[in-house]
Amino acid sequence: MVTVRAARSTDYEAVLALYRELMGENPVIEGADGERRFAEVLAHPGTTLFVAEEDGAVVSVATLHVLPNMTFGGKPYALVENVVTLARCQGRGLGTRLMEHLIEAAWGAGCYKIMLLTAQGYGARDFYAKLGFSDTDKHGMTLRRAPPRRPR
């Protein structure tokens, strides 16, 4: 059975394992500092970490940021970040269920659009396209201080 819900502080270790898988060789914040940062993210206004559980185990996570805005009649917009499903659990619809829940949350918050960036070459583009995301009207760009993700 699959359940999608907002993350809780007790999900820290499971979410950390997902982030480790997402980041490959790049570090994630861990230990006491990681626990403090996780609590900060969970408490941040407009931010929700959603998790998908399968048989009680957290196997997927995604972050939704709902941001205030001055254009489009003042309607907020959403930013999706750090979407990952355990590799051993991929291909079973868990990420799709999680993202559908996140999309409904963004629309429920009155957002006029949902944005995300995805890495080129990791196969995620087709996943997001099936959910209705398009790269035909905008071009995403990033400026990073750190080197890009290096898969394991």
Side-chain angles (χ1 to χ4, degrees):
M1 182 170 129
V2 177
T3 304
V4 177
R5 61 171 175 79
R8 302 183 285 256
S9 61
T10 55
D11 295 319
Y12 171 70
E13 290 295 334
V15 170
L16 188 62
L18 284 156
Y19 289 157
R20 284 185 193 120
E21 195 163 303
L22 173 69
M23 295 305 296
E25 293 178 10
N26 289 329
V28 296
I29 188 169
E30 301 185 38
D33 289 340
E35 288 182 40
R36 279 191 294 276
R37 180 57 50 89
F38 189 66
E40 181 182 342
V41 171
L42 293 180
H44 193 274
T47 297
T48 306
L49 266 71
F50 288 103
V51 296
E53 289 181 318
E54 184 177 51
D55 300 323
V58 172
V59 296
S60 190
V61 65
T63 304
L64 173 67
H65 300 284
V66 175
L67 301 157
N69 185 36
M70 291 295 293
T71 60
F72 288 88
K75 292 180 181 176
Y77 62 95
L79 176 64
V80 177
E81 187 65 50
N82 298 329
V83 179
V84 60
T85 298
L86 291 174
R88 64 179 169 77
C89 297
Q90 291 176 5
R92 300 198 319 241
L94 301 167
T96 299
R97 291 270 308 273
L98 176 67
M99 286 299 297
E100 288 171 345
H101 189 90
L102 183 146
I103 290 165
E104 286 302 314
W107 295 154
C111 293
Y112 82 94
K113 72 177 177 181
I114 305 169
M115 299 185 302
L116 62 79
L117 295 174
T118 187
Q120 297 179 22
Y122 289 98
R125 186 181 177 281
D126 290 341
F127 169 74
Y128 293 117
K130 288 178 186 173
L131 289 163
F133 288 86
S134 169
D135 60 2
T136 59
D137 66 334
K138 297 281 184 173
H139 180 79
M141 298 173 72
T142 60
L143 175 64
R144 294 181 182 265
R145 294 181 81 172
R149 176 179 177 248
R150 295 178 308 255
R152 290 182 181 182

